[in-house]
Amino acid sequence: MPGKILVTGGAGYIGSHTTLLLLEAGYQVVVVDNLSNSSLESLRRVENLTGKEVVFYKADIREKDKLISIFEEHQIDGVVHFAGLKAVGESTQIPLEYYEQNVYGTVSLLKVMQQFNCLRIVFSSSATVYGDPATVPITEDFPVSATNPYGRSKLYIEEIMRDLAISNDAWNIILLRYFNPIGAHDSGQIGEDPQGIPNNLMPYISQVAVGKRDKLSVFGGDYPTIDGTGVRDYIHVVDLSDAHVKAIQKIESLNGVSTFNLGTGKGYSVLQMVDAFKEGAGKAVPYEIVERRPGDIAECWADASLAEKILGWKASRGLQEMVNDTWRWQSSNPNGYKN
Ligand code: NAD
Ligand code: UFG
């Protein structure tokens, strides 16, 4: 039965889409976000699109007192936890910031949840925890490892949550390991709004197409893949968000810790993405093949059949829809939410 969900990091890219779908599914949503990588405009647009209210608190998840007053004010039935830092390269430069915000921030949140006996949480993990997989597709029982502080923070949080579930079997914890989220809501009103130079492929391509950047640097043309460029499992952000709604709907029946891959099961190369963008947006994307990016792997895609079996979830949006929705968002908001 729908209730009240706390969404940490709810003003961000995946958080704003998930907030929208939770509202549409009949949940009330309370968002906690420090706006370090987002703006309130995303949630204003979610309210316009849904005609429903989002209760918002500008707070950092490390500020336990603020979290306590939110839990005092609201009877929270479950938490969807997105808040954290997510740039792999940056994490190698400022590792302590990643451990403090991601790991300590999560511990702070979990302590407050425990204090209020709110024991249901859905956590944003990442396919990065599989390191360089020996084979593809990847199932949830593959060995895990980390090559950078960002990935390690995700692994630590997963382990902390497993320890918690052992300490008290009343916890219901769902770890969602995302593959590569791209795309935007089909209204073109909300989407990904990276600060500065995008780290990820799709926002970079769309900024080239809209004329904000000259050309794409393709990191490596000599991988053992279909055309030498890296292959990833791109998943539409609305499909990904829908998995969170399904997870919240099922969480009470899943005791302890459950782990699911969220991907489509299909991989596309960088050059295939460039072609798909050309097709969908009608814009050429000039590119140049350069050196490999340190830490990148050749290919990675999910076996997401467990999420289908247990959560009743399957990605339904294909590559062209991901590209078209990205372009609708980017072309109608060339400066993101800053207008
Ligand atoms: P995002 O940066 O758009 O969203 C994160 C939100 O959390 C932002 O609104 C930010 O302001 C907020 N935030 C950050 N630190 C906070 C803190 N200490 N207290 C309160 N709020 C804080 O990122 P996203 O792409 O929406 O990612 C959401 C989650 O999914 C992250 O945990 C990320 O690691 C994970 N994830 C993302 C990807 C991806 O490619 N986008 C892949 C795998 C996992
Ligand atoms: N790429 C380029 N040029 C760019 C950006 C990326 O060629 O300017 C290539 C990369 O080399 C890779 C592919 O495009 O082959 C995808 O790269 P992204 O940076 O978009 O995504 P990653 O797979 O490297 O990493 C993403 C998130 C991580 C997360 C991981 C697994 O950034 O946080 O997916 O979920 F851990």
Side-chain angles (χ1 to χ4, degrees):
M1 201 179 358
K4 199 179 268 192
I5 306 299
L6 176 72
V7 180
T8 74
Y13 173 44
I14 308 169
S16 55
H17 288 82
T18 302
T19 295
L20 185 146
L21 294 196
L22 284 168
L23 290 170
E24 285 180 345
Y27 292 92
Q28 291 174 277
V29 179
V30 176
V31 168
V32 174
D33 198 303
N34 65 2
L35 301 181
S36 61
N37 196 37
S38 55
S39 89
L40 209 43
E41 176 64 13
S42 62
L43 293 178
R44 208 186 55 75
R45 295 188 184 185
V46 166
E47 291 188 322
N48 283 342
L49 287 166
T50 58
K52 296 184 177 175
E53 188 204 4
V54 178
V55 178
F56 176 75
Y57 294 91
K58 182 166 191 257
D60 194 294
I61 53 169
R62 291 167 291 175
E63 297 173 299
K64 235 186 274 158
D65 291 351
K66 288 199 183 161
L67 292 181
I68 288 172
S69 53
I70 294 165
F71 276 81
E72 277 168 351
E73 201 158 325
H74 301 275
Q75 169 74 45
I76 302 291
D77 298 299
V79 175
V80 183
H81 176 34
F82 295 106
L85 303 179
K86 63 161 185 177
V88 172
E90 183 189 64
S91 79
T92 64
Q93 303 304 308
I94 48 167
L96 295 180
E97 205 56 42
Y98 274 69
Y99 292 124
E100 185 178 319
Q101 300 221 22
N102 294 4
V103 181
Y104 171 73
T106 301
V107 170
S108 154
L109 172 69
L110 292 169
K111 277 190 132 177
V112 176
M113 290 177 67
Q114 184 166 263
Q115 182 180 333
F116 287 84
N117 202 33
C118 171
L119 305 181
R120 295 176 194 147
I121 186 166
V122 177
F123 171 63
S124 305
S125 188
S126 167
T128 195
V129 302
Y130 296 115
D132 193 353
T135 55
V136 275
I138 298 169
T139 52
E140 289 83 355
D141 55 3
F142 268 39
V144 292
S145 65
T147 53
N148 57 70
Y150 167 71
R152 206 162 286 121
S153 76
K154 293 292 179 191
L155 273 184
Y156 290 159
I157 295 167
E158 288 199 356
E159 290 300 303
I160 287 167
M161 291 189 173
R162 287 201 180 85
D163 287 340
L164 198 55
I166 291 167
S167 75
N168 177 356
D169 62 12
W171 276 94
N172 304 111
I173 297 173
I174 298 185
L175 309 176
L176 298 178
R177 293 176 175 164
Y178 312 160
F179 281 67
N180 290 58
I182 62 168
H185 189 254
D186 63 6
S187 63
Q189 289 288 303
I190 57 171
E192 187 170 14
D193 182 19
Q195 318 289 309
I197 301 171
N199 297 306
N200 298 115
L201 180 66
M202 204 50 177
Y204 205 103
I205 289 182
S206 52
Q207 291 195 3
V208 172
V210 86
K212 283 182 80 172
R213 308 203 179 269
D214 291 344
K215 61 172 185 248
L216 170 73
S217 296
V218 176
F219 299 140
D222 58 353
Y223 284 108
T225 60
I226 174 174
D227 56 18
T229 65
V231 170
R232 296 291 183 276
D233 185 337
Y234 296 94
I235 174 171
H236 197 297
V237 67
V238 175
D239 278 331
L240 188 79
S241 297
D242 181 46
H244 293 71
V245 177
K246 297 250 169 26
I248 282 290
Q249 287 166 340
K250 284 269 157 72
I251 196 165
E252 215 186 319
S253 64
L254 297 172
N255 289 333
V257 179
S258 314
T259 307
F260 301 105
N261 284 340
L262 298 181
T264 64
K266 283 195 205 72
Y268 292 100
S269 74
V270 176
L271 294 182
Q272 287 173 326
M273 298 302 284
V274 167
D275 282 344
F277 209 90
K278 214 181 296 167
E279 179 122 333
K283 295 263 177 189
V285 178
Y287 68 84
E288 176 189 16
I289 296 184
V290 300
E291 288 292 286
R292 291 182 180 192
R293 182 170 65 179
D296 270 358
I297 57 176
E299 54 185 6
C300 159
W301 64 88
D303 178 331
S305 53
L306 190 65
E308 184 174 4
K309 187 168 153 216
I310 308 291
L311 299 178
W313 172 89
K314 192 174 192 292
S316 66
R317 291 162 179 83
L319 182 59
Q320 217 51 59
E321 206 170 341
M322 300 186 215
V323 166
N324 295 349
D325 290 342
T326 301
W327 182 239
R328 191 176 303 107
W329 154 254
Q330 179 70 61
S331 54
S332 42
N333 303 271
N335 298 313
Y337 292 113
K338 291 178 280 305
N339 244 337

